[in-house]
Amino acid sequence: MNIHEYQGKAILKSFGVRVQEGIVADTVDQAVEAAQKLKDEYNSDWVVVKAQIHAGGRGKGGGVKLAKNLDEVKEKAGAIIGMQLVTPQTGPEGKKVNKVLIAQDVYYPGESETKEFYVSVLLDRAKGRNIIMYSTEGGMDIEEVAEHTPDKIFKEEIDPKVGLQGFQARKIAFNLGLSGDAFKDMTKFITALYKAYIATDSSMFEINPVLKTSDNKILAVDAKVNLDDNALYRHPDYAALRDTSEEDPTEVEASKSNLNYVKLDGNVGCMVNGAGLAMATMDIIKIAGGEPANFLDVGGTANAQTVKAGFNIILQDPNVRAILINIFGGIVRCDRVAQGVIDAYQEIGNIPVPIIVRLQGTNAAEAKELIDNSGLKVFSAILLKEAAERVKEVLAN
Ligand code: GDP
Ligand code: MN
């Protein structure tokens, strides 16, 4: 699950990671009030107004602006709140900004230069290790750094059993070219960051940039925090941070019905039990000349209710020209699923696209008979090859 920068920073801060301080605002008035509070606290007029959307590259799209007084806060917050922000990560349609973070300006001049770094913590599944990835090239697009100057990206592997060792934190600070107080503060920063990553059951932290201020403090200017959905049951307070307005509405609806749904761009909707079979079904659709409109795993129990929820979600996509249901009856019996399909079909009423149902496994023959005798516009198949041919026929019409 993705969360907003301001939420991620609050979590980091609760683990002792120093962050650029800020206050979130929904309206221009709240933004001005927030800037006033920060001014009182930090004795500085300058703040940054930062669009809160679930996508990076906001700076490039005009979603991060420096304001040097309250009038500018008003003007910039006014322009950003409600805007459709397009960044390299949002797609061309952009994302609507509902909130801004008013943050203290941390790029103030002082005894030494400010310096931006890149730090992320993530899981390397192949190695079974956590990785701290870091670079002196902070504030830039890390994919570009990886492409053009891969030697500037360092990786530190951490054995999850023993955790981050002191020498590793020091090595990171050293490789980032730091010394003195900044060196010490970076080791603290990295240690706290790794602790937070483990304790929150996160799948990724990406802090870009990590800043060395002109008075040699290390802090997180940005925070991309990705929490592992499978561990959210252990963190109800984090689960509550979910902002469904940032997610695809059909995906949100699907997750309410416990369906694993990912919207795609194709024209053949599919409903399958099991993720592996769903992937294979998407391949079959492609081989038949179609493009999958979605990934949908209805899980182990495909009854009338889940099938109906699945239909409703798939049919919201105007690109869908056919639906392929591919269910393997192992624990669930095929005739049960077939009855579920028939019931769901009758409940929804007029389904405007042809449906191809392929049921294989326990009671497959009975299931085919049920569907064939239902009088509905549903094609049944037992072999996957037949199902693929049906898809091809339907698309050709
Ligand atoms: P992103 O573009 O979505 O990654 O948003 P970031 O939070 O990383 O901000 C983008 C850029 O805004 C940073 O790389 C900084 O260069 C700049 N920025 C962020 N905070 C401040 C600040 O306090 N003062 C100044 N002058 N610039 C800032
Ligand atoms: Mn950033």
Side-chain angles (χ1 to χ4, degrees):
M1 182 180 87
N2 279 322
I3 55 176
H4 288 292
E5 173 196 359
Y6 77 93
Q7 298 167 323
K9 280 177 167 172
I11 293 179
L12 294 181
K13 195 179 165 184
S14 73
F15 286 94
V17 179
R18 199 200 307 269
V19 299
Q20 174 191 41
E21 295 289 342
I23 300 167
V24 71
D26 297 296
T27 63
V28 175
D29 285 347
Q30 285 178 12
V32 172
E33 205 180 300
Q36 181 67 53
K37 257 194 210 155
L38 291 173
K39 180 179 169 177
D40 296 343
E41 203 160 322
Y42 300 103
N43 196 26
S44 159
D45 279 343
W46 292 23
V47 294
V48 269
V49 182
K50 309 183 78 178
Q52 298 298 289
I53 55 167
H54 285 190
R58 295 163 301 164
K60 278 187 197 152
V64 179
K65 294 265 195 251
L66 185 67
K68 298 182 178 172
N69 54 52
L70 294 182
D71 283 339
E72 283 189 21
V73 172
K74 201 169 171 178
E75 176 199 325
K76 289 177 177 164
I80 293 175
I81 296 174
M83 87 186 280
Q84 197 70 19
L85 179 56
V86 180
T87 84
Q89 293 180 19
T90 57
E93 71 285 358
K95 278 198 157 179
K96 183 159 180 250
V97 182
N98 297 315
K99 290 176 193 296
V100 287
L101 177 63
I102 306 300
Q104 63 167 156
D105 168 41
V106 284
Y107 289 64
Y108 47 81
E111 66 196 55
S112 69
E113 293 280 298
T114 58
K115 174 96 188 79
E116 291 180 322
F117 304 103
Y118 172 95
V119 179
S120 60
V121 191
L122 51 136
L123 172 66
D124 185 326
R125 289 172 194 277
K127 291 199 169 119
R129 293 270 194 282
N130 291 310
I131 304 281
I132 298 181
M133 196 155 85
Y134 60 102
S135 174
T136 50
E137 308 305 291
M140 322 219 310
D141 188 350
I142 198 67
E143 282 79 20
E144 265 178 40
V145 179
E147 195 181 322
H148 301 296
T149 46
D151 52 304
K152 290 196 170 156
I153 297 181
F154 299 92
K155 284 179 187 165
E156 189 65 27
E157 278 181 28
I158 296 133
D159 184 333
K161 279 202 297 290
V162 293
L164 176 74
Q165 301 296 292
F167 79 88
Q168 294 181 299
R170 289 193 293 277
K171 181 168 143 198
I172 292 169
F174 178 81
N175 282 339
L176 289 174
L178 297 170
S179 58
D181 288 344
F183 178 96
K184 269 192 230 150
D185 212 36
M186 181 60 89
T187 61
K188 269 195 218 151
F189 181 91
I190 296 289
T191 306
L193 192 69
Y194 186 77
K195 197 175 96 194
Y197 169 83
I198 294 296
T200 54
D201 289 315
S202 283
S203 36
M204 192 190 61
F205 278 2
E206 186 179 56
I207 316 297
N208 188 22
V210 170
L211 186 75
K212 181 193 84 67
T213 61
S214 59
D215 47 359
N216 294 314
K217 293 195 182 80
I218 304 296
L219 51 80
V221 168
D222 195 1
K224 180 171 177 183
V225 168
N226 191 277
L227 302 160
D228 185 343
D229 289 316
N230 296 313
L232 282 176
Y233 74 97
R234 304 208 293 195
H235 309 282
D237 44 338
Y238 299 157
L241 299 178
R242 183 161 185 188
D243 182 353
T244 49
S245 72
E246 289 287 326
E247 298 174 17
D248 184 283
T250 44
E251 289 183 17
V252 174
E253 196 185 319
S255 74
K256 279 188 199 143
S257 314
N258 275 324
L259 302 174
N260 261 318
Y261 172 86
V262 181
K263 191 182 168 330
L264 301 166
D265 297 329
N267 51 9
V268 181
C270 44
M271 198 179 331
V272 189
N273 64 340
L277 189 57
M279 300 297 280
T281 306
M282 289 161 64
D283 286 347
I284 293 294
I285 290 170
K286 281 207 164 209
I287 291 167
E291 284 288 332
N294 64 275
F295 169 96
L296 174 58
D297 170 13
V298 296
T301 53
N303 54 29
Q305 223 156 5
T306 42
V307 172
K308 190 177 155 206
F311 273 138
N312 278 327
I313 285 157
I314 293 175
L315 289 170
Q316 281 176 35
D317 180 350
N319 296 329
V320 168
R321 290 186 49 209
I323 298 175
L324 172 58
I325 302 179
N326 188 12
I327 306 269
F328 178 74
I331 299 169
V332 56
R333 278 166 28 205
C334 291
D335 53 327
R336 280 264 181 97
V337 180
Q339 195 57 51
V341 171
I342 294 165
D343 292 350
Y345 199 109
Q346 277 163 346
E347 257 184 73
I348 296 174
N350 194 19
I351 293 184
V353 295
I355 297 173
I356 300 124
V357 185
R358 185 254 178 174
L359 294 164
Q360 181 61 284
T362 313
N363 293 357
E366 287 89 332
K368 187 171 182 325
E369 207 178 309
L370 270 175
I371 292 203
D372 290 345
N373 295 335
S374 68
L376 301 172
K377 221 178 111 192
V378 181
F379 306 104
S380 66
I382 290 184
L383 296 178
L384 197 46
K385 195 167 153 258
E386 291 165 6
E389 272 157 18
R390 285 289 192 189
V391 170
K392 210 182 258 180
E393 269 171 42
V394 161
L395 291 176
N397 287 330

PDB file of all heavy atoms in Angstrom, residues 253-268:
ATOM      1  N   GLU A 253     -12.965  -1.222  -5.284  1.00  0.00           N
ATOM      2  CA  GLU A 253     -14.193  -2.016  -5.144  1.00  0.00           C
ATOM      3  C   GLU A 253     -13.853  -3.511  -5.063  1.00  0.00           C
ATOM      4  O   GLU A 253     -14.405  -4.240  -4.250  1.00  0.00           O
ATOM      5  CB  GLU A 253     -15.089  -1.741  -6.351  1.00  0.00           C
ATOM      6  CG  GLU A 253     -16.520  -2.185  -6.137  1.00  0.00           C
ATOM      7  CD  GLU A 253     -17.344  -1.994  -7.405  1.00  0.00           C
ATOM      8  OE1 GLU A 253     -17.180  -0.963  -8.072  1.00  0.00           O
ATOM      9  OE2 GLU A 253     -18.130  -2.906  -7.716  1.00  0.00           O
ATOM     10  N   ALA A 254     -12.923  -3.937  -5.917  1.00  0.00           N
ATOM     11  CA  ALA A 254     -12.523  -5.341  -5.931  1.00  0.00           C
ATOM     12  C   ALA A 254     -11.954  -5.755  -4.580  1.00  0.00           C
ATOM     13  O   ALA A 254     -12.269  -6.827  -4.060  1.00  0.00           O
ATOM     14  CB  ALA A 254     -11.508  -5.590  -7.039  1.00  0.00           C
ATOM     15  N   SER A 255     -11.119  -4.912  -3.996  1.00  0.00           N
ATOM     16  CA  SER A 255     -10.484  -5.317  -2.745  1.00  0.00           C
ATOM     17  C   SER A 255     -11.523  -5.424  -1.638  1.00  0.00           C
ATOM     18  O   SER A 255     -11.362  -6.193  -0.703  1.00  0.00           O
ATOM     19  CB  SER A 255      -9.329  -4.376  -2.375  1.00  0.00           C
ATOM     20  OG  SER A 255      -9.817  -3.153  -1.904  1.00  0.00           O
ATOM     21  N   LYS A 256     -12.631  -4.646  -1.759  1.00  0.00           N
ATOM     22  CA  LYS A 256     -13.713  -4.779  -0.770  1.00  0.00           C
ATOM     23  C   LYS A 256     -14.360  -6.166  -0.861  1.00  0.00           C
ATOM     24  O   LYS A 256     -14.842  -6.700   0.130  1.00  0.00           O
ATOM     25  CB  LYS A 256     -14.773  -3.706  -1.008  1.00  0.00           C
ATOM     26  CG  LYS A 256     -14.380  -2.368  -0.418  1.00  0.00           C
ATOM     27  CD  LYS A 256     -15.545  -1.388  -0.509  1.00  0.00           C
ATOM     28  CE  LYS A 256     -15.059   0.037  -0.359  1.00  0.00           C
ATOM     29  NZ  LYS A 256     -15.805   0.970  -1.222  1.00  0.00           N
ATOM     30  N   SER A 257     -14.431  -6.733  -2.068  1.00  0.00           N
ATOM     31  CA  SER A 257     -15.010  -8.074  -2.235  1.00  0.00           C
ATOM     32  C   SER A 257     -13.944  -9.158  -2.139  1.00  0.00           C
ATOM     33  O   SER A 257     -14.174 -10.293  -2.550  1.00  0.00           O
ATOM     34  CB  SER A 257     -15.704  -8.188  -3.592  1.00  0.00           C
ATOM     35  OG  SER A 257     -16.505  -7.089  -3.861  1.00  0.00           O
ATOM     36  N   ASN A 258     -12.751  -8.783  -1.655  1.00  0.00           N
ATOM     37  CA  ASN A 258     -11.646  -9.738  -1.534  1.00  0.00           C
ATOM     38  C   ASN A 258     -11.207 -10.343  -2.853  1.00  0.00           C
ATOM     39  O   ASN A 258     -10.827 -11.510  -2.922  1.00  0.00           O
ATOM     40  CB  ASN A 258     -12.023 -10.883  -0.592  1.00  0.00           C
ATOM     41  CG  ASN A 258     -11.742 -10.493   0.836  1.00  0.00           C
ATOM     42  OD1 ASN A 258     -10.764  -9.803   1.103  1.00  0.00           O
ATOM     43  ND2 ASN A 258     -12.600 -10.917   1.745  1.00  0.00           N
ATOM     44  N   LEU A 259     -11.320  -9.559  -3.918  1.00  0.00           N
ATOM     45  CA  LEU A 259     -10.865 -10.039  -5.224  1.00  0.00           C
ATOM     46  C   LEU A 259      -9.532  -9.371  -5.527  1.00  0.00           C
ATOM     47  O   LEU A 259      -9.339  -8.199  -5.235  1.00  0.00           O
ATOM     48  CB  LEU A 259     -11.879  -9.655  -6.310  1.00  0.00           C
ATOM     49  CG  LEU A 259     -13.307 -10.162  -6.130  1.00  0.00           C
ATOM     50  CD1 LEU A 259     -14.217  -9.576  -7.186  1.00  0.00           C
ATOM     51  CD2 LEU A 259     -13.334 -11.687  -6.212  1.00  0.00           C
ATOM     52  N   ASN A 260      -8.649 -10.125  -6.135  1.00  0.00           N
ATOM     53  CA  ASN A 260      -7.376  -9.564  -6.558  1.00  0.00           C
ATOM     54  C   ASN A 260      -7.504  -9.070  -7.980  1.00  0.00           C
ATOM     55  O   ASN A 260      -7.495  -9.862  -8.911  1.00  0.00           O
ATOM     56  CB  ASN A 260      -6.299 -10.647  -6.525  1.00  0.00           C
ATOM     57  CG  ASN A 260      -5.488 -10.547  -5.272  1.00  0.00           C
ATOM     58  OD1 ASN A 260      -5.129  -9.450  -4.851  1.00  0.00           O
ATOM     59  ND2 ASN A 260      -5.211 -11.699  -4.676  1.00  0.00           N
ATOM     60  N   TYR A 261      -7.645  -7.766  -8.153  1.00  0.00           N
ATOM     61  CA  TYR A 261      -7.939  -7.218  -9.470  1.00  0.00           C
ATOM     62  C   TYR A 261      -6.910  -6.166  -9.832  1.00  0.00           C
ATOM     63  O   TYR A 261      -6.589  -5.302  -9.022  1.00  0.00           O
ATOM     64  CB  TYR A 261      -9.335  -6.596  -9.447  1.00  0.00           C
ATOM     65  CG  TYR A 261      -9.719  -5.813 -10.690  1.00  0.00           C
ATOM     66  CD1 TYR A 261     -10.275  -6.458 -11.783  1.00  0.00           C
ATOM     67  CD2 TYR A 261      -9.532  -4.433 -10.751  1.00  0.00           C
ATOM     68  CE1 TYR A 261     -10.632  -5.739 -12.919  1.00  0.00           C
ATOM     69  CE2 TYR A 261      -9.893  -3.713 -11.880  1.00  0.00           C
ATOM     70  CZ  TYR A 261     -10.443  -4.369 -12.961  1.00  0.00           C
ATOM     71  OH  TYR A 261     -10.790  -3.661 -14.080  1.00  0.00           O
ATOM     72  N   VAL A 262      -6.400  -6.268 -11.055  1.00  0.00           N
ATOM     73  CA  VAL A 262      -5.534  -5.218 -11.586  1.00  0.00           C
ATOM     74  C   VAL A 262      -6.052  -4.856 -12.961  1.00  0.00           C
ATOM     75  O   VAL A 262      -6.198  -5.723 -13.828  1.00  0.00           O
ATOM     76  CB  VAL A 262      -4.056  -5.675 -11.696  1.00  0.00           C
ATOM     77  CG1 VAL A 262      -3.183  -4.542 -12.219  1.00  0.00           C
ATOM     78  CG2 VAL A 262      -3.534  -6.167 -10.359  1.00  0.00           C
ATOM     79  N   LYS A 263      -6.355  -3.585 -13.153  1.00  0.00           N
ATOM     80  CA  LYS A 263      -6.881  -3.156 -14.442  1.00  0.00           C
ATOM     81  C   LYS A 263      -5.765  -3.058 -15.471  1.00  0.00           C
ATOM     82  O   LYS A 263      -4.673  -2.599 -15.174  1.00  0.00           O
ATOM     83  CB  LYS A 263      -7.551  -1.794 -14.287  1.00  0.00           C
ATOM     84  CG  LYS A 263      -8.340  -1.431 -15.520  1.00  0.00           C
ATOM     85  CD  LYS A 263      -8.973  -0.078 -15.428  1.00  0.00           C
ATOM     86  CE  LYS A 263      -9.499   0.366 -16.783  1.00  0.00           C
ATOM     87  NZ  LYS A 263      -8.779  -0.147 -17.955  1.00  0.00           N
ATOM     88  N   LEU A 264      -6.065  -3.540 -16.677  1.00  0.00           N
ATOM     89  CA  LEU A 264      -5.095  -3.449 -17.773  1.00  0.00           C
ATOM     90  C   LEU A 264      -5.779  -2.778 -18.966  1.00  0.00           C
ATOM     91  O   LEU A 264      -6.950  -2.402 -18.876  1.00  0.00           O
ATOM     92  CB  LEU A 264      -4.593  -4.853 -18.148  1.00  0.00           C
ATOM     93  CG  LEU A 264      -3.911  -5.630 -17.016  1.00  0.00           C
ATOM     94  CD1 LEU A 264      -3.761  -7.096 -17.371  1.00  0.00           C
ATOM     95  CD2 LEU A 264      -2.554  -5.026 -16.680  1.00  0.00           C
ATOM     96  N   ASP A 265      -5.077  -2.668 -20.085  1.00  0.00           N
ATOM     97  CA  ASP A 265      -5.595  -1.865 -21.197  1.00  0.00           C
ATOM     98  C   ASP A 265      -6.319  -2.645 -22.291  1.00  0.00           C
ATOM     99  O   ASP A 265      -6.772  -2.059 -23.263  1.00  0.00           O
ATOM    100  CB  ASP A 265      -4.443  -1.089 -21.850  1.00  0.00           C
ATOM    101  CG  ASP A 265      -3.827  -0.114 -20.872  1.00  0.00           C
ATOM    102  OD1 ASP A 265      -4.583   0.370 -20.002  1.00  0.00           O
ATOM    103  OD2 ASP A 265      -2.619   0.143 -20.955  1.00  0.00           O
ATOM    104  N   GLY A 266      -6.415  -3.976 -22.169  1.00  0.00           N
ATOM    105  CA  GLY A 266      -6.922  -4.768 -23.294  1.00  0.00           C
ATOM    106  C   GLY A 266      -8.427  -4.836 -23.404  1.00  0.00           C
ATOM    107  O   GLY A 266      -9.160  -4.053 -22.789  1.00  0.00           O
ATOM    108  N   ASN A 267      -8.929  -5.832 -24.205  1.00  0.00           N
ATOM    109  CA  ASN A 267     -10.358  -5.903 -24.513  1.00  0.00           C
ATOM    110  C   ASN A 267     -11.037  -7.194 -24.043  1.00  0.00           C
ATOM    111  O   ASN A 267     -12.235  -7.358 -24.216  1.00  0.00           O
ATOM    112  CB  ASN A 267     -10.572  -5.721 -26.026  1.00  0.00           C
ATOM    113  CG  ASN A 267      -9.691  -6.651 -26.850  1.00  0.00           C
ATOM    114  OD1 ASN A 267      -9.033  -7.544 -26.294  1.00  0.00           O
ATOM    115  ND2 ASN A 267      -9.667  -6.460 -28.153  1.00  0.00           N
ATOM    116  N   VAL A 268     -10.283  -8.125 -23.487  1.00  0.00           N
ATOM    117  CA  VAL A 268     -10.902  -9.360 -23.004  1.00  0.00           C
ATOM    118  C   VAL A 268     -10.794  -9.409 -21.470  1.00  0.00           C
ATOM    119  O   VAL A 268      -9.694  -9.511 -20.915  1.00  0.00           O
ATOM    120  CB  VAL A 268     -10.238 -10.620 -23.619  1.00  0.00           C
ATOM    121  CG1 VAL A 268     -10.921 -11.884 -23.110  1.00  0.00           C
ATOM    122  CG2 VAL A 268     -10.280 -10.558 -25.136  1.00  0.00           C
TER     123      VAL A 268
END
